[in-house]
Amino acid sequence: MTPHGQMLLEVRDLVVSYPARGSAGKPLAAVRSVSLNIENGSIFGLVGESGSGKSSLAHAIIQLTPYRSGQVLFRGQDLASLKKPQLGAARRQMQFVFQDSLAALSPRRSIEQTLLEPLNHFRVGAPASRAKKAAAALETVELDADMLHRYPQELSGGQRQRVALARALVTEPELIIADEPLSSLDAPVQARIVDLMLKLRAELGIAFLFVSHDLSTVRRLADKVGVMYLGKIVESGKTESLFQQPAHPYTKSLLAAVPVADPAHPAPSVLTGEPPSPLTPPAGCVFHMRCPEKMERCPSIEPIEVAVGKQYGAPENERELKTAGHRVRCHLWDDTK
Ligand SMILES: Nc1ncnc2c1ncn2[C@@H]1O[C@H](COP(=O)(O)OP(=O)(O)O)[C@@H](O)[C@H]1O
Ligand code: SF4
Ligand SMILES: [Mg+2]
């Protein structure tokens, strides 16, 4: 395993577009030049409304969806350039947890068969040792060994999501990409699975790309956060910097919609309306049609990404250190670049 702090996953300028439907249709640009980094053993939270491109990005990272341009580097290796055996080795290190565990787990396979499947597929260890590994993975997610002989449909939603996590970690990956893994669960079960993910990171050093539209959970779990809107990351940074000092009007609106407001900050206006269709993305700033702080140049000039915090002065300034790496795409911040 690479030492803590080293780069595990680098996504560079990734573009995902789906082919046009019918001859008169246009391709749909779901992910538009997205870059992000995940360090060894760290948790990156990806947030944004439904349709913003989170799943398309997550699927493209694991090479489940083709991308039109850009790069995905896993431990410095460009996944698109790897031959099948090397790609297989990288895929073993990079596991996926889907949103709907009932659909993701085969009803015809017992939990033991479900956990053995990736071990057999990736030929992990000697065949005789695999049953032991499957049982150990179940224990890691704090489920009883008697679950091994049960079937997904016999389990509760929380137990199934733990099985999905066990299946992801049975091959001892370095990164788990979890696409809204908690959205079908009630709050207490969600909280227990968040604790479990934090434990997996602390004890096994597993990094996560955690996709969610639940900001409270992301705040608890993630070290860094990216906020996605209409295929672009409009703001990213360390979790506390982004939550304490949101810079983009979209992030501020999302935070204003979270039930427990931070009394230290005045509530900005709550988001209304729907995002535009990715089939016809607007010119200028992607958010201008819903932005309460829109300015004259916003509908025509696209903002570039700039650092938040530069305007606070010298690098040794405590506030600047806190905001290190905090970046935003918004004309309100252009003068600070
Ligand atoms: N297989 C697909 N074919 C065509 N369009 C798709 C496909 N999957 C997703 N989309 C479209 O891409 C956009 C982004 O979707 P998605 O990545 O699922 O966003 P999110 O996960 O943030 O809800 C949406 O407009 C969605 O309708
Ligand atoms: S660039 Fe303009 S429209 Fe876009 S978020 Fe900033 S202020 Fe709002
Ligand atoms: Mg999704």
Side-chain angles (χ1 to χ4, degrees):
M1 194 174 284
T2 43
H4 187 83
Q6 281 192 10
M7 209 51 83
L8 188 61
L9 181 81
E10 291 167 76
V11 176
R12 293 188 188 152
D13 302 321
L14 208 69
V15 175
V16 178
S17 67
Y18 296 107
R21 289 203 183 127
S23 55
K26 284 170 58 178
L28 183 148
V31 177
R32 301 194 292 143
S33 198
V34 163
S35 299
L36 61 87
N37 293 329
I38 301 181
E39 285 172 7
N40 196 41
S42 73
I43 302 181
F44 189 100
L46 185 67
V47 300
E49 286 165 292
S50 178
S52 56
K54 304 180 299 296
S55 295
S56 300
L57 174 61
H59 292 167
I61 291 172
I62 54 155
Q63 315 288 296
L64 202 65
T65 293
Y67 37 95
R68 209 178 69 194
S69 59
Q71 283 182 312
V72 180
L73 306 177
F74 186 72
R75 285 200 270 141
Q77 288 184 304
D78 183 348
L79 293 185
S81 71
L82 296 184
K83 302 246 167 4
K84 242 185 166 179
Q86 297 161 308
L87 184 61
R91 286 286 290 273
R92 178 186 156 183
Q93 296 297 340
M94 201 170 31
Q95 293 289 315
F96 203 90
V97 176
F98 290 90
Q99 178 170 2
D100 180 357
S101 58
L102 195 54
L105 302 177
S106 166
R108 288 186 298 279
R109 282 199 188 128
S110 69
I111 303 310
E112 184 173 41
Q113 289 166 328
T114 296
L115 297 176
L116 284 173
E117 196 268 332
L119 292 172
N120 293 334
H121 177 81
F122 292 110
R123 301 202 180 119
V124 180
S129 70
R130 291 176 192 158
K132 221 169 157 185
K133 281 187 192 295
L138 207 62
E139 201 182 318
T140 307
V141 299
E142 295 161 1
L143 287 176
D144 291 338
D146 64 5
M147 290 268 171
L148 283 168
H149 305 294
R150 294 170 69 182
Y151 286 79
Q153 56 276 30
E154 299 172 37
L155 310 186
S156 70
Q159 288 169 332
R160 271 199 306 272
Q161 210 49 274
R162 281 170 189 256
V163 170
L165 264 176
R167 186 177 64 173
L169 59 88
V170 75
T171 61
E172 298 169 12
E174 291 186 298
L175 173 68
I176 292 179
I177 298 179
D179 187 3
E180 310 228 23
L182 309 179
S183 55
S184 58
L185 306 174
D186 57 31
V189 183
Q190 283 191 17
R192 285 200 291 278
I193 294 185
V194 166
D195 288 342
L196 175 62
M197 288 165 83
L198 287 168
K199 188 181 106 170
L200 292 174
R201 186 265 286 275
E203 292 179 3
L204 304 176
I206 298 176
F208 284 88
L209 172 60
F210 178 78
V211 178
S212 179
H213 57 256
D214 176 2
L215 284 123
S216 312
T217 303
V218 168
R219 186 171 193 168
R220 256 199 83 203
L221 197 57
D223 305 299
K224 282 190 194 163
V225 179
V227 180
M228 210 164 166
Y229 188 81
L230 210 65
K232 289 190 183 265
I233 290 191
V234 294
E235 181 167 4
S236 59
K238 287 185 208 154
T239 305
E240 278 324 294
S241 180
L242 191 133
F243 276 84
Q244 284 176 11
Q245 193 181 313
H248 198 283
Y250 178 56
T251 313
K252 291 186 215 169
S253 306
L254 287 180
L255 287 176
V258 175
V260 186
D262 182 348
H265 292 91
S269 55
V270 173
L271 201 58
T272 54
E274 297 287 320
S277 163
L279 280 170
T280 49
C285 168
V286 277
F287 189 56
H288 80 80
M289 288 150 106
R290 299 165 86 191
C291 182
E293 298 178 63
K294 181 166 93 176
M295 298 175 290
E296 202 181 327
R297 65 190 134 146
C298 299
S300 54
I301 302 171
E302 185 173 359
I304 57 162
E305 194 181 62
V306 294
V308 175
K310 285 265 194 255
Q311 73 283 13
Y312 300 129
E316 63 272 17
N317 181 314
E318 194 189 320
R319 204 164 176 191
E320 174 157 334
L321 289 176
K322 217 164 131 187
T323 58
H326 191 162
R327 301 185 71 78
V328 66
R329 280 174 193 275
C330 170
H331 287 310
L332 292 167
W333 296 83
D334 280 357
D335 297 341
T336 65
K337 62 180 177 259

